[in-house]
Amino acid sequence: MTKELERDLGLYAVLAISIGAMVGSGIFILPALAVDIAGPAVILAYIVAGALVLPAAVSKSEMATAMPEAGGTYLFIERGMGPLLGTVAGIGTWFALSFKGALALVGGVPYLLLLFDVPPSVTTPVALALATLLVLVNLLGAKQTGRLQVGIVIVMLAALVWFVIGGVPSVQGSNYTPFFGGGVAGLLEATGLVFVSYAGVTKVASVAEEVSDPDRNIPIGILGSLIFTTVLYALIVTVMIGVTDPATIADSETPMALAADATLGTAGVIAVVLAAILALVSTANAGILSSSRYPFAMARDDLVPDLMASISDRFGTPSNSITLTGVVLLLLIAFVPLLEIAKLASAFQILVFVLINLAVVAFREGSAEYEPSYTAPLYPWMQIVGAIGGAVLLTQMGTVPLVGAVVLTAAGVGWFAVYGRNRVDREGAAVDAVRRQVGRNAVDRTRETIDETRRDHRVLVALDHELSKAEERWYVRVAAAVARANDGEVVVARFEQVPDQVSLTYASETESPADVQFEAQTSELDAEFDVPISSGTIVCHDVRHAVVNYADHEGADLLLMEEAASPSGLRGLLFGSDVEWVLRHAPCDVALLNPGANGLGECDVVGVLSDEGPYDPAKIAVADAIAVAAGGSITLAYAGRADASDIEGKTLQDYHAEVAALCSVPVESCVPFGDRGRNSTEATASRRPT
C-alpha cells in the first residue's frame, strides 16, 4: 500500500522555512559582490529582484493549492510542461538547491572564524560536520525540521532587526552618492546576481504534501515571506551602505559583521555573526528539506528509480532521497569550488522560475484537471512579465552561468531520453493548451470560410479533359451546392491543351466536336440547378498555369478540380504533379474532388477525414454545402494515433463540437481513442438556417 507523508507543518513553520531559505547568502555574502557591481543602487537591485520574483511566487502558490504534493517546482513543471521539461527542472533544481546549501555552509564559516581563533583550514571540516548534522535532522522528520527552522529564524531575525534599528542613527548620506555608480547595466547585473536571494521563497511548495491546511498556509506563507524578506533586505542593505564605505564592503568576506562593528560594537558583531551562522545553516537546512523531495517526487512519476520514493517506516521521511541529497552536499563541500557553481545554479533557478510562470498558463489554457483554491491575480500579464523579466536577467548573468545552465538542461534531457522516455506516456498541460489554441484558430478560420461561402461566393470548376454529362453534373452539383447559399455563381471552364507549335488564336477559332458537346451539356445543366452557371473553353499551352491565371481573372473564391494521381518515376520525384503546383499557386481555396464509381448519388453522410491537425476550413465549407444540398449530415473523422491520451481525445471532441456549431446540418464525431470509444455522437449541432 502506498504510504503518505504526514501533514504536520503549520503556518509558522511554512513562514520559517521560506524566510530561512531566503535569508542566508543573499544578505550575508552577496552584498559585497553586488556593491562592487552597482554601487549604492544595490538597494534598488534587491527591490527589483523581489518584484520580479513575485510572478513566480503567486504562480507557484496557485499551483501548490491545486497540487499540494511533494515535489514543488518539479511537480508543477512536469504536469504543466510535460515529463521532459519536468525531468530537466527536477534534476536541475535538485542540484541547484544542493549547490546553494553547500555554498551557505561554506560561506558561513568565515563568520564563525570571527568568534574563534582557528585556522582557515578548518573551514571544510566544519562545513562537512554541519552538513552531516543537518542531514540527520532531516532524516528524523519534517516536524523536527520545521521546529528547528522556527527557532533558527526567530533568533536570526531578532539580530537583524537590532542591526537595522541600531544602525539607523549612524547612517551617512554621503555614502549613497553617486547612487547609480554602475549605471543601468550595473543595476541589471546586480539584480541578476541578488535574484537568487529570493529563490527560497517557493521552497515550501516542495513540501506542500506535508503542510496542514495547504489552501490557506501555502499562499500566505509564500507571499508573506516574500514581502517581509524584500523589505528586510532593502533595510539591511540601506543601513549597511549608510554606515560603511561601499568600497570597504566590496572588499570584505563578512560585510554584515563589518557594518555591525561600525555601529553596534563588539556585542553587535557577536549578534550579527550568530545571525549569519544561523541564517546560513537554516538555508542549508531548508535546502536539504526541499531538494530531497525532488528525487522523491520524480521516483513516484517513474522518472528516477523507485528506490528514491521509499518512506522510512520509523520516521515517515523519504530517507533514501534525503541520504542521496546529503551525499551530494558533502561531495560538493569537500571537492568543488562553490562560488562559480552557485552562480551556475542561480542562472538555472531563474530559468526554472520562467518555466513556473509558463506552467500556470499551460494549466489554465489546457484541459487537464486543475482546480486551485487560490488563483494568481492579473493573469496572464503577471506571468508574462515574470517570464520576460527572468529571460532578461539570464542575459545579465554572463557566459559561464549560461553555459552551465545549458549543460544542466542537456543532462536532464539526456537522463529522460535514456531512462524516463520509455517509462512514462504523459503529456503536459502545455501540449494540450497549444492543441486547443490551434483548434480555436482553426475554428475561427472555418467560421470565416463558411461565412464567405454565404456571401456572393464564386466557384470555378476546372475540367481538363472530356467528360460525360453525368460526370460534369457531379462537379457542377458540388459547385452549385457551395454557391447556392447566398446568391453565388458557378463558372465551368474546360481547359484544352494544344501543342506549343499550334497558335492559340488558331486553336480558339477552331470548334471541335468536344467543344460542341461541352457547350450543349453545360447549357442543360444551367437550367437544372438553381444558380447562375457560365461556361467556356480555355485553350492553352500549359493547363496548370492557365487554371491559376483564370481563377485569378475570374476572382474565384473556390476552385474545384479532379483529384489526379501523382506522376510516378523521375518526373514525379523532381517536379511533382500539376495538381500539387496548382495547390501551391492558386489565388483561392482549392478543393480536390474524386467522384468514385457512383458519383455523388443520393448521399446521406458527408465524411471529413483528418489524420493530423485541424480540418481544412475549405473542406468543412464544402462538406457543409454538399450535406445541405443532399439533405444529409456530416461525420468528422480523425484517423490519428489509437494510443493517444484521454486528454487529447477530450480536446478533439471539444474541437469537433465547435466545428459542428458552425455547420448547417447535424454533425457526428468519430474519435478512435480515449475513454469515449471509437464512435461518438457528442459533437452534434442542430440545423440552422442557411
Side-chain angles (χ1 to χ4, degrees):
M1 184 175 68
T2 302
K3 298 181 180 180
E4 302 293 335
L5 298 177
E6 183 180 358
R7 291 190 179 277
D8 53 12
L9 297 179
L11 177 59
Y12 292 116
V14 170
L15 286 168
I17 290 172
S18 187
I19 293 173
M22 285 187 284
V23 181
S25 59
I27 197 63
F28 290 100
I29 299 174
L30 292 182
L33 301 174
V35 167
D36 190 42
I37 296 172
V42 68
I43 301 170
L44 184 58
Y46 274 95
I47 297 174
V48 173
L52 290 177
V53 170
L54 181 61
V58 297
S59 296
K60 204 163 183 180
S61 296
E62 175 179 311
M63 291 185 290
T65 61
M67 296 168 285
E69 304 174 36
T73 299
Y74 152 74
L75 178 74
F76 306 146
I77 295 178
E78 197 276 341
R79 300 295 188 268
M81 309 299 289
L84 173 59
L85 288 181
T87 302
V88 172
I91 293 178
T93 308
W94 177 50
F95 275 106
L97 293 175
S98 299
F99 295 156
K100 188 177 180 182
L103 176 64
L105 289 175
V106 175
V109 172
Y111 282 92
L112 185 64
L113 296 182
L114 294 176
L115 298 179
F116 303 98
D117 185 16
V118 293
S121 59
V122 304
T123 298
T124 298
V126 171
L128 289 171
L130 289 173
T132 303
L133 176 63
L134 292 177
V135 170
L136 292 176
V137 169
N138 275 269
L139 285 171
L140 295 178
K143 180 182 294 185
Q144 290 75 9
T145 303
R147 288 173 178 172
L148 174 63
Q149 198 76 358
V150 171
I152 290 175
V153 170
I154 290 175
V155 175
M156 175 187 65
L157 292 182
L160 294 178
V161 170
W162 182 31
F163 171 83
V164 172
I165 295 176
V168 168
S170 302
V171 167
Q172 300 179 22
S174 60
N175 287 348
Y176 301 111
T177 57
F179 188 76
F180 289 100
V184 176
L187 173 62
L188 291 176
E189 183 178 351
T191 300
L193 177 64
V194 303
F195 185 88
V196 298
S197 305
Y198 299 94
V201 68
T202 59
K203 282 185 181 179
V204 69
S206 63
V207 291
E209 196 171 344
E210 297 158 83
V211 175
S212 62
D213 193 9
D215 294 350
R216 169 183 176 271
N217 290 338
I218 290 177
I220 293 177
I222 290 179
L223 298 180
S225 61
L226 175 61
I227 295 172
F228 175 84
T229 305
T230 301
V231 173
L232 180 65
Y233 278 166
L235 291 175
I236 290 174
V237 176
T238 299
V239 171
M240 189 185 303
I241 295 175
V243 301
T244 312
D245 179 61
T248 304
I249 294 176
D251 292 334
S252 175
E253 293 183 354
T254 55
M256 280 283 291
L258 184 67
D261 185 48
T263 58
L264 303 177
T266 302
V269 172
I270 294 174
V272 166
V273 168
L274 178 62
I277 295 172
L278 291 176
L280 295 169
V281 169
S282 70
T283 297
N285 180 56
I288 296 172
L289 174 65
S290 58
S291 63
S292 63
R293 269 53 177 181
Y294 286 92
F296 173 76
M298 294 175 69
R300 296 200 301 190
D301 287 340
D302 297 323
L303 292 176
V304 298
D306 294 339
L307 186 65
M308 292 296 102
S310 63
I311 298 177
S312 170
D313 292 329
R314 182 175 181 182
F315 301 112
T317 57
S319 55
N320 289 334
S321 182
I322 293 174
T323 302
L324 176 62
T325 301
V327 170
V328 171
L329 184 66
L330 294 173
L331 291 175
L332 290 173
I333 293 173
F335 300 109
V336 182
L338 295 178
L339 185 57
E340 287 299 323
I341 295 179
K343 292 181 180 179
L344 299 176
S346 301
F348 195 81
Q349 194 72 45
I350 295 175
L351 177 61
V352 169
F353 273 29
V354 171
L355 292 177
I356 288 173
N357 286 300
L358 297 179
V360 167
V361 178
F363 278 119
R364 291 216 193 177
E365 299 302 321
S367 62
E369 183 177 348
Y370 183 68
E371 297 180 356
S373 58
Y374 166 83
T375 55
L378 301 178
Y379 173 87
W381 303 112
M382 180 171 287
Q383 285 69 32
I384 293 174
V385 170
I388 294 176
V392 171
L393 287 181
L394 275 175
T395 65
Q396 305 301 313
M397 298 295 292
T399 302
V400 173
L402 286 178
V403 171
V406 171
V407 171
L408 282 174
T409 301
V413 172
W415 175 265
F416 178 78
V418 173
Y419 184 87
R421 183 175 58 184
N422 296 327
R423 289 175 168 82
V424 298
D425 57 0
R426 299 181 300 275
E427 63 180 20
V431 175
D432 188 62
V434 172
R435 188 187 298 121
R436 284 181 172 271
Q437 185 59 50
V438 170
R440 285 191 289 268
N441 294 340
V443 169
D444 291 340
R445 293 194 303 271
T446 303
R447 181 183 296 107
E448 294 172 0
T449 302
I450 291 178
D451 289 343
E452 287 175 1
T453 66
R454 299 186 173 113
R455 294 196 305 270
D456 300 325
H457 211 66
R458 193 173 182 84
V459 183
L460 171 61
V461 179
L463 309 173
D464 64 348
H465 58 85
E466 298 180 16
L467 297 177
S468 66
K469 181 179 179 180
E471 291 173 322
E472 185 180 349
R473 176 188 289 111
W474 190 89
Y475 287 97
V476 174
R477 181 179 179 182
V478 174
V482 176
R484 185 182 296 111
N486 193 359
D487 297 328
E489 61 180 299
V490 176
V491 177
V492 183
R494 174 176 171 268
F495 291 84
E496 180 181 345
Q497 181 170 318
V498 297
D500 291 342
Q501 60 269 28
V502 176
S503 168
L504 293 180
T505 302
Y506 170 79
S508 63
E509 293 175 349
T510 304
E511 189 174 50
S512 66
D515 296 333
V516 175
Q517 177 185 350
F518 174 71
E519 292 177 4
Q521 65 191 34
T522 304
S523 298
E524 295 176 11
L525 294 175
D526 190 10
E528 180 178 342
F529 295 101
D530 188 22
V531 293
I533 299 177
S534 58
S535 63
T537 298
I538 309 300
V539 181
C540 59
H541 288 141
D542 186 340
V543 170
R544 63 181 185 178
H545 282 88
V547 169
V548 170
N549 292 336
Y550 192 66
D552 185 47
H553 176 268
E554 290 294 317
D557 298 293
L558 179 66
L559 171 62
L560 299 183
M561 297 175 55
E562 180 180 7
E563 182 182 16
S566 299
S568 59
L570 182 61
R571 179 180 181 276
L573 179 64
L574 295 178
F575 303 106
S577 68
D578 291 340
V579 171
E580 291 173 348
W581 190 93
V582 172
L583 289 173
R584 291 195 301 269
H585 295 86
C588 59
D589 290 327
V590 180
L592 304 179
L593 305 179
N594 186 349
N598 301 318
L600 184 61
E602 299 299 326
C603 72
D604 295 322
V605 179
V606 179
V608 183
L609 177 66
S610 176
D611 58 359
E612 183 178 356
Y615 298 102
D616 186 339
K619 284 185 178 182
I620 301 296
V622 172
D624 186 52
I626 295 174
V628 169
S633 63
I634 295 175
T635 294
L636 301 177
Y638 181 80
R641 297 178 294 110
D643 61 344
S645 65
D646 288 343
I647 292 179
E648 185 174 350
K650 177 62 168 59
T651 300
L652 186 59
Q653 288 284 0
D654 292 343
Y655 167 60
H656 280 185
E658 294 182 35
V659 173
L662 302 176
C663 297
S664 307
V665 297
V667 178
E668 291 188 353
S669 173
C670 180
V671 180
F673 57 82
D675 58 6
R676 290 158 187 79
R678 291 187 170 269
N679 292 291
S680 174
T681 57
E682 293 179 12
T684 302
S686 60
R687 185 188 302 272
R688 52 178 216 181
T690 60

